Amino acid sequence: ASAKYCTENQILQRPPVVYFEDPKEFPEIETHIDETVEQFAFEIVRYPNGVKEGLVDLVDQNSRTLAFVLGTRQGDPNSGDQGSFAPSSSYMPPFMRVNPIISWTYGQIWQFINLHEITVCPLYLKGYTSLGKVDNTEKNPALRQADGSYMAASYLTNWSLERLGRNGKTGDSSATVSAVKEAVERIKRAKNVGLVIVGDEVLLGKVSEENSKYAVEEFRKRGMPLVRIAVVRDNESEIAAEILRQSDACDMVIMSGGMGPTHDDVTLKAVASAFHTIVEENAQMMRVLPAICNLTNSELLSESQRQSAMLPRGGDLMWSADAK
């Protein structure tokens, strides 16, 4: 509304920008802020004594009620049950929080940035997906490539792993645990299911296909109809195409077959291909494989056993109740 009013009345209005300085800030962020302020001629107010103290000073200096436009999104720390408009927390001075992107997903953020060619902090081009401070933020391991380099943040395919580099942890970090919990909740909310069965031996009649009958019965017990079943040969592109087809039509897609260590087991490669990622050695799987194979350490794993740790990048491992 403000933009429409200013445009119709030929008013050039630049809202003031507030920046709460922190000695642990990334230098790249400081530079990006300076360059953005200069580029758009923003009026910036800096507070060197932190967020809470800075807000107290800012509110005390203004007689009218203040509103701050923020980049808070659902799932962010301290986002709680905020909506598009939310009063400040009880431990803060009184002001209104305006959250225009509160319901945006990680993917929508990057779609908007790329569509409008918005310049971002260079850290997002170097493997960082969520920026805290220098002492609690690392590059996101989900973006790490085989040669040790990192892809840009916009290439993250599993959006639930956005915060995997926070708190200075990787692998089994709290971010990973949170991502798995979120995935479990998505599964619980699923209303229908699709099943992709992979194997030339099924289509050639060499083996009897029994998974679909079992799946229909089990999902019916849970009130989740199986709306599509497809049997696909061992062909990576055909499997990937069916995965995408079912992903568009179903809340959840189950894969069966073609996940072993032999050369014709291409299901995992097809999953990676469908979601524009790669298959790589999964560190978490490598840590649990020795116990699963009744070995004392990973060095004793055979080549075929190690192949079991080659999984699509960005996937979350979830164990059944009777798994080791």
Side-chain angles (χ1 to χ4, degrees):
S2 176
K4 183 175 184 295
Y5 175 82
C6 291
T7 300
E8 292 176 347
N9 293 274
Q10 297 183 332
I11 298 174
L12 181 60
Q13 183 178 18
R14 293 188 175 92
V17 176
V18 180
Y19 176 50
F20 302 103
E21 297 177 346
D22 191 305
K24 295 180 180 180
E25 193 67 87
F26 278 94
E28 291 88 344
I29 292 180
E30 298 272 8
T31 300
H32 180 64
I33 290 173
D34 291 341
E35 292 176 348
T36 302
V37 167
E38 181 178 358
Q39 178 183 0
F40 296 101
F42 284 141
E43 173 192 341
I44 185 169
V45 181
R46 296 175 180 268
Y47 287 89
N49 52 348
V51 176
K52 186 174 181 180
E53 292 78 6
L55 280 171
V56 171
D57 292 345
L58 184 58
V59 172
D60 288 345
Q61 293 168 9
N62 288 270
S63 57
R64 56 183 180 174
T65 302
L66 297 179
F68 296 94
V69 179
L70 306 173
T72 302
R73 290 165 44 228
Q74 292 171 353
D76 285 352
N78 302 318
S79 63
D81 58 355
Q82 290 185 46
S84 298
F85 298 90
S88 57
S89 301
S90 58
Y91 60 88
M92 290 287 187
F95 60 87
M96 179 61 71
R97 293 176 289 199
V98 182
N99 304 314
I101 61 171
I102 188 70
S103 62
W104 286 26
T105 65
Y106 181 88
Q108 288 171 326
I109 293 291
W110 280 103
Q111 182 182 31
F112 183 87
I113 290 172
N114 293 332
L115 177 64
H116 296 284
E117 300 181 344
I118 298 172
T119 301
V120 299
C121 176
L123 292 173
Y124 288 117
L125 307 178
K126 300 178 180 180
Y128 293 87
T129 54
S130 178
L131 296 177
K133 306 304 177 185
V134 294
D135 62 342
N136 65 7
T137 308
E138 295 179 355
K139 295 180 180 181
N140 192 321
L143 291 174
R144 191 175 187 274
Q145 302 189 88
D147 62 359
S149 62
Y150 287 79
M151 295 184 291
S154 58
Y155 286 93
L156 185 67
T157 55
N158 187 335
W159 302 338
S160 67
L161 299 180
E162 174 185 353
R163 294 184 170 275
L164 192 54
R166 293 295 288 272
N167 300 318
K169 301 177 182 178
T170 59
D172 285 326
S173 68
S174 59
T176 301
V177 175
S178 176
V180 171
K181 288 181 178 179
E182 183 177 334
V184 171
E185 289 303 314
R186 290 201 304 271
I187 292 173
K188 290 180 179 179
R189 293 194 298 267
K191 302 298 183 184
N192 55 57
V193 188
L195 175 62
V196 182
I197 300 167
V198 178
D200 290 341
E201 64 275 14
V202 177
L203 292 171
L204 294 174
K206 293 181 178 180
V207 299
S208 176
E209 197 291 298
E210 300 178 352
N211 289 333
S212 58
K213 181 176 183 297
Y214 176 80
V216 168
E217 294 173 351
E218 290 300 312
F219 282 115
R220 182 184 293 127
K221 293 177 185 177
R222 292 161 175 76
M224 297 171 62
L226 199 61
V227 297
R228 181 179 175 85
I229 300 174
V231 181
V232 187
R233 62 177 180 160
D234 294 307
N235 180 283
E236 183 178 331
S237 61
E238 293 180 16
I239 299 170
E242 182 60 30
I243 291 171
L244 290 176
R245 188 177 299 113
Q246 294 204 17
S247 295
D248 288 338
C250 309
D251 294 335
M252 180 167 61
V253 179
I254 305 293
M255 305 295 301
S256 174
M259 298 189 190
T262 61
H263 71 281
D264 61 339
D265 291 315
V266 296
T267 297
L268 292 174
K269 293 180 181 177
V271 172
S273 175
F275 297 107
H276 305 291
T277 186
I278 63 173
V279 172
E280 63 182 2
E281 187 174 277
N282 183 284
Q284 185 183 1
M285 180 64 90
M286 281 299 294
R287 285 193 290 273
V288 300
L289 263 181
I292 293 174
C293 299
N294 295 315
L295 299 172
T296 55
N297 61 70
S298 60
E299 295 180 358
L300 299 176
L301 292 169
S302 67
E303 184 60 32
S304 62
Q305 288 170 333
R306 293 183 69 93
Q307 281 293 324
S308 299
M310 299 299 292
L311 302 173
R313 172 184 288 170
D316 300 321
L317 294 182
M318 291 180 285
W319 308 99
S320 63
D322 58 350
K324 291 185 178 181

